[in-house]
Amino acid sequence: MHIPFNRPYLTGNEIDTMIKAARAGQISGNGLYTRKCQRMLEKAYGFRRALLTTSCTDALEMAAILTRVGPGDEVIIPSFTFVSTANAFVLRGAKIIFADSGPLNPNIDAEKLEELITPRTRAIALVHYAGIACDMDRIMELARRHNLFVIEDAAHSIDSFHRGKALGSIGHFGAFSYHETKNIMSGEGGCLAINDKSFIERAEIIWEKGTNRVAFQRGEVSQYEWVDIGSSFLPSEVISAILYAQLRELKKIQKRRREIWHRYYQRLKPLADQGKIGLPWLPDYATVNGHIFYITTAGLEERDRLLKYLARKHIHAVFHYIPLHSSPYYKDKHDGRDLPHARRYFETIIRLPFYYELEDHQVDYIAGVVAEFYK
Ligand SMILES: *Cc1c(COP(=O)(O)O)cnc(C)c1O
């Protein structure tokens, strides 16, 4: 009866792989399942190196350490994102320059990026919102010209592409999330994709508390020791075992999630054609990966009324993100620029229920309730 916003999907094999991991004799990190998952991800998506982490937040923190940004440096980040994208760089002491979303979708406005670049700019951390690619041709060209690092917050973006290249494989680094609200999950979990091989050795060290333990495990050094800064970013084998079970079923999960996305789109298109709601805009260089399905309303008041209406019909839909430049932590540090599109997406986006086990008739019911609201 009640349709939740999210329901984590278990393939049924997780318990089996978790027990195998526990019995293998090494339950801590960087064991058999961790390495299997990393190899699967590298092969499927063309990452030079994949390192599993305990979250996307951790992967972003690793990327921030790898860029060596610090006090006096500036990093450009979309305001319309989850807090972790920015926090990773704030923790390094960098100054965040918040960028607006574009007029057509919530991704960072690539056309307005160059005016934010100063001699102190060191990196751009972008988000492919809802797994729909940012304008990477433009952003990578700009980054090359100004010698900037590009970090893709690919938390939404597993199995999605920009002109045939996997999201997360295009910038210097890609950060993925396997939190239970994402397409595949290990409860908490994540991955750092390293696409420039000059960073691989240091990434392995940062991952293992600043030691060369990974090289030691491969037999490359006779002892492991403290060689750099780092932290404990690697997940336990039990977590990796859950992810492995999920990765084995990724194709099936993705096929269904894409079906759900397209069904929502088809069912809601008549309302969009009548100008009552907005639907996701998909540029010709981007693909759909079935992570988020969102609609946009005419304004904040209508959004709240529609959310309440859906709740009365037992449908749990949600809004997000409170733009980071206007958040309690940052509003006094922001330079005062208005970011009208970020504000507009915050006020008008509704995310509809989305999970693997959502059934066709439920999608139709939800779309029907939205249509009823606008009658
Ligand atoms: C979910 C999410 C994160 C954080 O992922 P965790 O794995 O929970 O740390 C970061 N950025 C974006 C855009 C996200 O949606």
Side-chain angles (χ1 to χ4, degrees), residues 6 9 130 155-159 177-185 246 250 253-254 257-258 288-292 354 356:
N6 179 55
Y9 171 64
H156 299 182
S157 308
I158 189 168
D159 204 41
S177 175
Y178 310 116
H179 185 267
E180 70 173 24
T181 52
K182 307 302 203 282
N183 289 31
I184 61 165
M185 59 98 195
Q246 297 254 316
L250 179 65
I253 293 169
Q254 283 301 97
R257 293 191 71 115
R258 287 191 171 98
V288 163
N289 74 336
H291 175 52
I292 284 173
F354 207 117
Y356 177 80

Side-chain angles (χ1 to χ4, degrees), residues 130-143:
I132 294 171
C134 293
D135 186 349
M136 293 309 285
D137 288 341
R138 225 191 181 105
I139 293 168
M140 294 310 290
E141 187 275 322
L142 205 64

Side-chain angles (χ1 to χ4, degrees), residues 55-57 81-82 84-85 127 153 155-156 177 179 182 188-189 321:
S55 62
C56 180
T57 302
T81 180
F82 189 66
S84 296
T85 325
V127 181
D153 179 339
H156 299 182
S177 175
H179 185 267
K182 307 302 203 282
E188 304 276 354
Y321 294 108

Side-chain angles (χ1 to χ4, degrees), residues 267-268 270-271 274 276-277 295 306 309-310 364-375:
R267 291 294 183 273
L268 291 163
L271 277 181
Q274 294 162 35
K276 294 190 167 146
I277 60 167
I295 61 172
L306 178 51
Y309 191 78
L310 289 163
D364 297 350
Y365 171 70
I366 295 163
V369 170
V370 175
E372 214 175 86
F373 174 82
Y374 282 104
K375 264 219 190 94

Side-chain angles (χ1 to χ4, degrees), residues 1 17 23 26 49 127 179 208 262 293 316 328-329 368 374:
M1 185 72 230
T17 52
R23 287 196 178 134
Q26 187 197 335
R49 186 83 164 91
V127 181
H179 185 267
E208 266 281 22
H262 288 291
F293 195 90
H316 185 203
Y329 176 70
Y374 282 104

Side-chain angles (χ1 to χ4, degrees), residues 261 264-265 268 279-280 291-295 350-352 354:
W261 196 96
Y264 264 132
Y265 196 96
L268 291 163
L279 288 177
H291 175 52
I292 284 173
F293 195 90
Y294 69 91
I295 61 172
I350 289 182
R351 294 177 61 185
L352 298 174
F354 207 117

